[in-house]
Amino acid sequence: MDNFAQAGTVESVTCPFCGLLCDDLTVQRDSAGNLKVMENGCARAVTFFERAVAAPSPRIQGKPAALQEAIAKAAEILGKARQPLLAGLGTEVFGMRAVMNLAESSRAALDHMNSNGFMRNIHVLQNSGWFTTTLSEVRNRVDLLVVVGTDISSVNPRFFEREIWNTETMFDQNTSQREIVYLGGRDLDTSAGVSPDGRQPDVFACDLDRIPEVVAALRALIIGKKLHAPEIAGIATADLEQLAQRLLAAKYAVVAWAAGPLAFPHAELTVQNITELVIAINKTTRAAGLPLGGSDGDTSANQVSAWISGYPMRNSYLRNYPDFDPYIYAADRQLQSGEADALFWVSTFNPERTPPAADVPTVVFGDAHMEFEKEPDVYIPVGTPGIDHKGIMFRSDNVVALPLQQLRSSNLPTLGEVLHAIEQALQTAVQ
Amino acid sequence: MLIKLSGGTIYDPAHGIDGKIMDIFVRDGRIVEKPRDGERIDQEYNLAGKVVMAGAIDMHTHIGGGKVNIARTMLPEDHRHDPAAHSDLCRAGCGHAVPSTLTAGYRYAEMGYTAGFEPAVLPMNARQAHLEMGDTPMIDKGGYAMLGSDDLFLRMLAAKQDQNAINDYVAWTIAASQGIGIKVVNAGGINAFKFNQRFLDLDEQNSYYGITPREVLKTLARAVHELGVPHPLHVHGNNLGVPGNVETTLNSMAGVEGYPMHLTHIQFHSYGTEGDRKFSSGAARIAEAINKQKNISADVGQILFGQTVTASGDQMSQFRNAGAGSPHKSVCMDIECDAGCGVVPFKYKDQNFVNALQWAIGLEIFLLVDDPWRIFLTTDHPNGAPFTSYPHLIKLLMDKTFRNDMFASLNLDAQKMSTLASIDREYSLYEIAIMTRAGAAKLVGLHDRGHLGVGAAADITVYTDIADREKMFEKPDYVFKDGQLIVKDGNIVRVVWGATHTVKPEFDRGIEKEIKQYFDKYLTIKMDHMKVSNDEIEGDGRGKVIVQECKGRREKTA
């Protein structure tokens, strides 16, 4: 058992800050519980782990309050609400289970802070399905990586280090020969795609909002259509033809995207073109899609919601049973239309993800370092999973769930404890 | 608390009791001897005229893990038809083809089931499988860990490592995944698909490793046997759904050279190539082989007509079948140098020649296999049909007239290709109790379940004996779980959480050195992070890990 009161070094720490969930970090703790990343941290991991220990008091209307009072006030707001909205949902599996319980007890709607991006993938999964792979397969098999609309590194900083330029693979591949292609986007930082021996990646740049055309053209070429246009969004058709041939000739091509950065209308159709071109390649050789990006528990929120209710995000218990509607239950829409009459915002990993401006009573269960432009009615600081308490989290590839460790002792309650107490208070009030 | 169940008609095949009127006494969750005269009975249930069996056990049902949750996520249109509302006792959810975890637990219990086993726990996804099973109330759970297409196992085989090392790795995998058995899916085939092989017959080599499915099956069947794991190697055969695969299945039976082997959803592996459409029933040959080879058992994987979804580790087959999906969509995945998965929604139609014949083939197998201790009632939920159709399936087995009426309404060409109507057999209540209780418990290795003897866990189901067996089995009068009344008249009256059954065969911990090296060199997570701890299953205070007894490690058998 760790003695959290003492300074110490913890190895094999899992970092929950992005969807890669690197689990090889070494973190040092001082006797006050401050953490320092000693090995294998990226800049985002350092920011995440090295925030100074803080345990502010809960606040009601900006005034310090005891935890019990804050819980009672939150329960009161929830009890009065006719259409409460539980949003943000930046938490891990156990926190999300508590969210689902509370949503059911209070007939609330549910939405995650990353849904605008994530729903692009969900739409595709529900409309046509897809063919994807996971990180260890990429690490051992990929010979051609095509990255659509992102540099990956800004969303998953260690991706190239861990899955592309790893020195050994199971199948005796010389990884420095791996081919990297960036397709779409402007001014991407493609330096991580340079091979260890200095070979530059291929970069076919275009404006973000022209990506749909480029990906559609690539899919057309892969299924054998001829294109008469000499260029698509500034990319020579001949280059795309050549890329299609490389994809069809590769032994294990991986086409990666991050749903978040594809921020243009109906980007789900572009995700679908990516996944359908992958399926087309698989008619003759092997290839797979790879959804990247994410976190703040987005994959975990969707997974837990799916097994407990049957549905992923943008879900509601308003009808007393789970109801899924990606349009109706979008948090922004519910707030803007005035349908939601109380907002309960969860962000336990990231103090910068504060709630959207809303004219309804607002309760925040947040990281201890949160600062607000507009003070919420109730603020309850909660522990950070993977630092202050244990947890379980899903990777962006949707398969591997890893344990998050506790790294120090903390006076902050867990999200689960707070939500459970609110649910109890709600039930007592009903009786 | 002493409970007396008075005067019921008992079917307890583990003790040879076939419809005998007896009293059963329950104390502290267990079945106990008749108490001394004068001892106070706290509660008595008069079961005169009622049928009493142990709680039913589903030995193969996809209730938790990645592919099941993909199926849920993919099918909002299916859930919408079957919402399950929040009640004072039960949490909300949804049902039909792939229910939410809580609804699955409630509905199993409402049909008198008290245990279900997830047959495809990918070790790399075991944590998710246990999380989902942990959110499945009412019933006991457990899982079979999948091996056979994982690169570490194939590397060990290719390097001709000693069987003892393989056994240690198999035992380590069971422990790390908190499993109760080992499953192999399309032996070596999921791996071969990653090298772009599209079929892998029993003696075909993996293009990279040079290993054949026959070697995989034999090595794993032997490992499971030598480790003393009660549940024989659980095998989803090669060439699922392919006309002519009856040969592969028969060769697989012979290929394990006498080691115990369980062939799952064997209906999907019993197809011939006769007739105009080159698709015919291999049921008679399969049944004959099972009747002869006492080391073989099977569950049927019956299909029933209607909408469902197929969720399988057999990505090679699922990619092949994706075009037949209805609604037309599919998910396939390569997974972590460990396995794969494929999810394809499917609608079985009674006027479709292939589907109608699949239906008949499943029933032919049920009826032609003589020994009910070696054939098990499954639909491979949800692949052949949702588990909620079990009462209907039981009626098909117990009622020849009903069965033949159904058969007469099917696609006519399919009728011509089946001998079903000529089979007179009707299953008895005793045989149903074997298939769904005593036999299943014995097969899975649940030493204190599936029977009503003194010392057994008091998982008990009480039915009204009515001629319409579907009505009888869909709504028991009472269901007791560990001695507590959980269902009355087909409705939940108390919510319990059930336990997770595991085995912990002995192994040499030295194997971890090799496994750790493999993880550190090639994979993207630490070995220790793959292991699912007891604490993760029990930590929330409602789950519980039960370690069932292994037979002890055997000396080398070959």
Side-chain angles (χ1 to χ4, degrees):
Chain A
M1 195 65 201
D2 293 298
N3 184 352
F4 293 120
Q6 287 178 6
T9 302
V10 191
E11 291 177 359
S12 301
V13 170
T14 305
C15 172
F17 203 69
C18 88
L20 288 189
L21 297 190
C22 304
D23 68 345
D24 59 349
L25 280 70
T26 301
V27 175
Q28 205 176 64
R29 175 185 62 235
D30 71 17
S31 56
N34 292 300
L35 305 174
K36 188 164 175 53
V37 179
M38 305 305 289
E39 277 177 48
N40 297 331
C42 63
R44 299 180 79 180
V46 168
T47 307
F48 173 72
F49 284 106
E50 298 190 1
R51 287 185 196 110
V53 174
S57 162
R59 296 195 293 269
I60 299 174
Q61 310 290 1
K63 297 196 179 72
L67 179 61
Q68 287 318 314
E69 291 167 5
I71 285 169
K73 184 68 185 169
E76 185 194 317
I77 293 171
L78 187 56
K80 280 184 186 159
R82 299 166 82 177
Q83 193 161 331
L85 170 63
L86 307 189
L89 310 188
T91 180
E92 48 68 66
V93 167
F94 296 115
M96 193 59 202
R97 273 176 165 162
V99 166
M100 296 302 292
N101 275 331
L102 187 64
E104 183 171 337
S105 301
S106 62
R107 295 195 176 197
L110 294 156
D111 195 10
H112 191 276
M113 60 174 92
N114 291 354
S115 284
N116 284 337
F118 206 100
M119 291 308 290
R120 295 174 187 136
N121 290 350
I122 298 285
H123 286 314
V124 175
L125 200 71
Q126 294 181 337
N127 185 254
S128 55
W130 63 26
F131 196 133
T132 58
T133 190
T134 68
L135 298 178
S136 293
E137 298 285 2
V138 176
R139 181 179 161 95
N140 286 284
R141 292 179 187 275
V142 66
D143 53 356
L144 169 60
L145 174 72
V146 178
V147 184
V148 181
T150 172
D151 57 16
I152 301 185
S153 302
S154 58
V155 289
N156 300 128
R158 293 180 67 203
F159 175 78
F160 282 92
E161 170 210 327
R162 281 169 61 86
E163 340 300 356
I164 303 296
W165 307 128
N166 43 300
T167 49
E168 287 187 272
T169 76
M170 250 185 274
F171 312 111
D172 311 320
Q173 196 189 34
N174 178 357
T175 58
S176 68
Q177 297 299 307
R178 286 175 168 172
E179 297 177 34
I180 312 298
V181 178
Y182 292 89
L183 183 64
R186 288 253 181 242
D187 306 321
L188 299 177
D189 177 2
T190 57
S191 56
V194 178
S195 73
D197 55 10
R199 200 167 33 84
Q200 292 293 318
D202 296 319
V203 181
F204 300 113
C206 73
D207 290 339
L208 193 68
D209 61 359
R210 304 289 302 273
I211 288 177
E213 294 162 65
V214 173
V215 173
L218 183 62
R219 179 182 173 196
L221 291 166
I222 282 169
I223 60 176
K225 307 266 193 223
K226 287 276 172 263
L227 297 184
H228 297 293
E231 51 94 21
I232 314 284
I235 301 172
T237 305
D239 286 342
L240 289 176
E241 265 167 14
Q242 206 189 21
L243 178 57
Q245 291 313 313
R246 286 164 76 186
L247 282 162
L248 289 165
K251 284 190 175 151
Y252 198 88
V254 171
V255 186
W257 76 95
L262 298 178
F264 46 81
H266 294 291
E268 67 274 11
L269 297 177
T270 292
V271 175
Q272 190 165 45
N273 269 330
I274 294 172
T275 58
E276 291 295 305
L277 75 82
V278 163
I279 290 170
I281 297 167
N282 273 296
K283 289 202 161 64
T284 53
T285 182
R286 285 306 325 276
L290 182 69
L292 286 170
S295 220
D296 275 303
D298 48 11
T299 315
S300 306
N302 277 288
Q303 286 269 18
V304 175
S305 178
W307 80 62
I308 287 183
S309 75
Y311 301 107
M313 275 302 98
R314 298 196 167 160
N315 187 359
S316 166
Y317 285 90
L318 186 66
R319 297 165 190 254
N320 212 27
Y321 54 79
D323 184 37
F324 168 74
D325 193 313
Y327 174 76
I328 295 284
Y329 299 121
D332 292 346
R333 201 204 64 83
Q334 288 195 75
L335 289 169
Q336 279 154 20
S337 67
E339 284 164 41
D341 60 354
L343 171 63
F344 293 77
W345 181 262
V346 176
S347 179
T348 64
F349 294 110
N350 191 345
E352 285 161 22
R353 303 295 293 265
T354 50
D359 291 330
V360 295
T362 301
V363 177
V364 174
F365 311 98
D367 182 279
H369 302 82
M370 246 179 193
E371 289 174 15
F372 302 97
E373 271 180 33
K374 182 185 166 199
E375 177 75 18
D377 297 78
V378 182
Y379 166 54
I380 302 180
V382 294
T384 305
I387 291 181
D388 297 317
H389 62 86
K390 291 197 278 192
I392 292 177
M393 196 131 167
F394 281 86
R395 254 173 23 184
S396 69
D397 61 20
N398 222 18
V399 170
V400 174
L402 289 175
L404 304 179
Q405 297 95 325
Q406 181 178 0
L407 300 178
R408 67 183 176 208
S409 63
S410 171
N411 295 325
L412 295 167
T414 67
L415 176 69
E417 288 162 358
V418 172
L419 297 190
H420 184 67
I422 291 173
E423 204 181 346
Q424 298 269 302
L426 203 61
Q427 277 160 3
T428 314
V430 171
Q431 288 157 7
Chain B
M1 173 103 166
L2 182 62
I3 302 169
K4 181 181 182 187
L5 306 180
S6 309
T9 307
I10 312 292
Y11 293 84
D12 182 18
H15 299 96
I17 296 168
D18 179 9
K20 190 173 157 194
I21 294 172
M22 292 168 67
D23 298 332
I24 292 175
F25 297 89
V26 173
R27 194 197 308 263
D28 302 332
R30 296 268 155 187
I31 295 174
V32 294
E33 300 271 11
K34 183 177 184 219
R36 293 184 309 276
D37 287 345
E39 198 164 342
R40 198 172 77 96
I41 306 282
D42 297 291
Q43 191 148 21
E44 183 170 356
Y45 294 85
N46 178 4
L47 303 185
K50 303 289 182 189
V51 169
V52 181
M53 297 183 184
I57 297 164
D58 193 344
M59 46 68 62
H60 185 110
T61 172
H62 296 280
I63 51 171
K67 65 194 170 319
V68 182
N69 222 28
I70 290 168
R72 289 188 191 103
T73 307
M74 274 172 85
L75 288 171
E77 63 270 47
D78 188 67
H79 308 324
R80 284 213 168 92
H81 298 297
D82 193 5
H86 172 90
S87 72
D88 288 345
L89 273 175
C90 295
R91 299 270 311 273
C94 64
H96 196 62
V98 53
S100 58
T101 52
L102 290 120
T103 307
Y106 303 140
R107 292 198 175 166
Y108 259 119
E110 284 166 354
M111 309 195 301
Y113 275 72
T114 52
F117 290 83
E118 164 57 52
V121 176
L122 278 55
M124 282 295 192
N125 184 245
R127 182 164 286 109
Q128 178 175 7
H130 285 291
L131 282 167
E132 292 187 28
M133 289 194 278
D135 277 330
T136 305
M138 314 304 282
I139 59 172
D140 286 352
K141 286 83 60 166
Y144 315 136
M146 249 170 82
L147 283 177
S149 275
D150 56 306
D151 286 287
L152 180 50
F153 173 71
L154 292 170
R155 287 163 68 87
M156 291 175 85
L157 275 193
K160 307 221 175 302
Q161 287 209 34
D162 177 52
Q163 179 82 32
N164 265 329
I166 303 268
N167 294 359
D168 287 332
Y169 171 53
V170 169
W172 179 88
T173 302
I174 292 176
S177 328
Q178 295 276 4
I180 194 166
I182 291 287
K183 162 99 172 288
V184 57
V185 174
N186 188 349
I190 307 165
N191 187 284
F193 183 54
K194 294 173 187 174
F195 294 102
N196 203 28
Q197 288 173 278
R198 300 300 166 121
F199 289 91
L200 199 67
D201 210 346
L202 196 62
D203 293 308
E204 225 171 313
Q205 289 187 349
N206 177 299
S207 64
Y208 181 80
Y209 292 107
I211 301 294
T212 64
R214 185 188 295 273
E215 291 168 82
V216 172
L217 288 180
K218 194 188 147 189
T219 309
L220 284 175
R222 183 176 160 190
V224 168
H225 179 70
E226 289 183 354
L227 289 167
V229 173
H231 186 45
L233 181 65
H234 194 100
V235 175
H236 160 140
N238 295 65
N239 292 336
L240 177 137
V242 179
N245 62 13
V246 61
E247 305 297 339
T248 313
T249 308
L250 293 170
N251 289 335
S252 301
M253 288 187 201
V256 291
E257 297 175 9
Y259 289 111
M261 176 168 72
H262 178 83
L263 290 165
T264 191
H265 42 70
I266 199 164
Q267 176 275 130
F268 289 108
H269 305 268
S270 302
Y271 304 148
T273 53
E274 287 160 29
D276 295 344
R277 305 198 193 201
K278 307 291 178 211
F279 181 72
S280 59
S281 170
R285 293 175 66 198
I286 291 289
E288 189 192 354
I290 295 175
N291 289 341
K292 270 193 195 140
Q293 297 182 46
K294 309 294 182 202
N295 60 317
I296 302 294
S297 58
D299 65 271
V300 171
Q302 177 68 33
I303 72 132
L304 295 162
F305 303 113
Q307 178 69 54
T308 191
V309 57
T310 63
S312 172
D314 192 348
Q315 179 198 7
M316 181 191 253
S317 301
Q318 289 292 74
F319 184 68
R320 208 163 52 217
N321 297 333
S326 176
H328 186 66
K329 51 184 169 183
S330 66
V331 166
C332 282
M333 287 188 79
D334 297 324
I335 296 176
E336 281 304 274
C337 304
D338 190 34
C341 81
V343 183
V344 184
F346 214 87
K347 190 168 187 177
Y348 295 102
K349 297 174 183 150
D350 61 358
Q351 296 311 314
N352 172 292
F353 167 74
V354 172
N355 298 165
L357 194 51
Q358 287 178 304
W359 182 90
I361 290 168
L363 292 175
E364 286 171 15
I365 294 170
F366 270 118
L367 297 167
L368 295 174
V369 171
D370 298 332
D371 181 1
W373 290 91
R374 291 191 290 120
I375 189 85
F376 298 92
L377 187 141
T378 66
T379 55
D380 187 18
H381 165 80
N383 294 314
F387 67 79
T388 40
S389 51
Y390 286 168
H392 175 80
L393 176 53
I394 291 172
K395 185 173 178 182
L396 287 168
L397 298 177
M398 295 189 71
D399 184 336
K400 189 182 81 171
T401 311
F402 175 68
R403 180 167 72 228
N404 286 344
D405 287 349
M406 286 285 294
F407 181 68
S409 71
L410 302 187
N411 175 290
L412 288 171
D413 289 344
Q415 287 186 46
K416 283 182 206 144
M417 296 291 289
S418 171
T419 59
L420 187 65
S422 69
I423 305 173
D424 288 332
R425 182 171 173 193
E426 291 182 329
Y427 268 81
S428 66
L429 283 173
Y430 187 69
E431 287 173 319
I432 294 291
I434 294 171
M435 263 211 277
T436 58
R437 276 85 173 165
K442 187 176 165 211
L443 181 82
V444 178
L446 307 173
H447 303 288
D448 59 347
R449 313 271 153 170
H451 68 90
L452 298 171
V454 169
D459 294 353
I460 302 167
T461 302
V462 178
Y463 304 99
T464 299
D465 190 356
I466 48 179
D468 185 335
R469 297 309 191 186
E470 184 170 349
K471 286 210 162 63
M472 169 175 170
F473 279 97
E474 73 189 5
K475 209 175 171 189
D477 298 68
Y478 301 107
V479 181
F480 297 87
K481 178 83 191 76
D482 295 306
Q484 290 189 305
L485 183 67
I486 59 168
V487 169
K488 188 164 183 273
D489 299 327
N491 298 311
I492 308 281
V493 294
R494 175 192 286 266
V495 173
V496 295
W497 285 93
T500 300
H501 294 273
T502 64
V503 287
K504 297 276 183 309
E506 303 157 29
F507 65 97
D508 179 353
R509 298 266 158 194
I511 193 71
E512 282 213 329
K513 201 176 150 199
E514 180 179 349
I515 299 169
K516 183 174 182 306
Q517 223 169 37
Y518 168 82
F519 268 73
D520 288 344
K521 216 164 163 182
Y522 300 122
L523 301 189
T524 49
I525 68 169
K526 298 281 181 192
M527 178 188 77
D528 283 338
H529 292 165
M530 197 217 94
K531 298 177 185 170
V532 180
S533 67
N534 281 8
D535 186 49
E536 289 181 66
I537 294 172
E538 301 180 332
D540 62 1
R542 61 189 197 196
K544 185 167 176 272
V545 174
I546 293 177
V547 181
Q548 291 285 351
E549 195 187 346
C550 269
K551 289 163 187 158
R553 191 149 172 167
R554 295 182 173 91
E555 288 303 306
K556 280 195 185 188
T557 52

